[in-house]
Every structure is written in C-alpha cells, then in structure tokens.
Amino acid sequence: MQSSRSEPAAKELCSKILTATDVGVRLSFPTATMRQHFKLEGGTPLDFQVRDKYNKVWTFRLYTRNNDSHPKPVLTSGWIDFVKKMGLQVGDRVIFLVHGNLNQLGIQVQRNIKLFGHEHWADL
C-alpha cells in the first residue's frame, strides 16, 4: 500500500481588497496581523518572503512609522514589482497564507468576476 503525503493545509493570515494606493505606491498591511505575526519595532524595516502559486519567492519589506501612536504598517520594497508582474488592479484581493508552520508564508491573488449576475473570486 502506497502512502500519500499531502501538504499541510494553508491558513489565511490576512486578506485585503486592493486600493489605488495599494497598487500604485505601497500596500497598507493590517495592523493586527503585523502585531500578531511579526516582531517589528517602529521605524525598523523587516524583510520577509512569500511564495506564490507558481512557486516563485517574493521578498517584501514591512515597515512601520516610529513616531506615531498608531503604527501603520506598509509593504514597500518588492511590493510594486509584484503588483506589476501579476497585473494587479484596484479591487483585486490579496491573501497572505501560512503553510504548515509560521516560517513558510504564501500569497494568493484573486480578481472579482461578475458572471451571470453573480460575483466570483477567481485566482490570478
């Protein structure tokens, strides 16, 4: 009998519908997710990697302002390259995933498609 090993299920870390700023300048990253999953001091950038569905590894820089009582984390370096290569648009959805353990992050992108009067999210 042959055993099959399947990959551990991916868990959604966070998702966001993209805005004009997200696709043109930087991605505003959810503060609660940043606090829960990344140890980040204000003003100190953190580079992290994600793997897309094509198994390509992307490096993003997560940054927060250090002079603000409400830190606003953003993805800077690497993000706009990802947006351009994936052809992302305002209204698309980006989903950050955790695969198996906290060291392996993934990213998924989707576009909202209207079909026969119903909305569906299709993977890009």
Side-chain angles (χ1 to χ4, degrees):
M1 183 172 185
Q2 202 173 20
S3 69
S4 64
R5 286 179 75 178
S6 60
E7 289 185 20
K11 177 184 170 192
E12 184 175 314
L13 183 61
C14 66
S15 68
K16 183 173 185 201
I17 306 296
L18 300 178
T19 66
T21 300
D22 294 330
V23 299
V25 183
R26 66 189 164 270
L27 175 75
S28 294
F29 201 76
T31 302
T33 300
M34 187 271 303
R35 285 184 178 147
Q36 184 178 4
H37 295 282
F38 298 100
K39 292 182 194 255
L40 186 63
E41 300 294 326
T44 303
L46 171 74
D47 290 347
F48 68 98
Q49 295 182 325
V50 297
R51 190 176 302 272
D52 68 17
K53 74 176 191 175
Y54 302 106
N55 219 23
K56 178 170 176 24
V57 175
W58 299 88
T59 301
F60 299 136
R61 176 162 290 163
L62 181 61
Y63 175 81
T64 61
R65 295 176 287 197
N66 61 351
N67 297 359
D68 203 339
S69 62
H70 177 70
K72 184 175 182 179
V74 293
L75 294 185
T76 57
S77 299
W79 172 250
I80 294 303
D81 288 339
F82 179 77
V83 168
K84 289 177 182 176
K85 294 271 199 248
M86 298 300 287
L88 300 183
Q89 303 171 6
V90 172
D92 288 347
R93 176 167 57 187
V94 64
I95 304 166
F96 288 90
L97 306 163
V98 177
H99 294 284
N101 62 44
L102 292 178
N103 294 328
Q104 189 176 10
L105 297 176
I107 191 166
Q108 180 179 358
V109 290
Q110 297 178 328
R111 182 155 295 147
N112 193 343
I113 298 172
K114 293 181 182 166
L115 185 63
F116 302 117
H118 294 80
E119 293 185 1
H120 302 276
W121 287 101
D123 291 340
L124 293 181

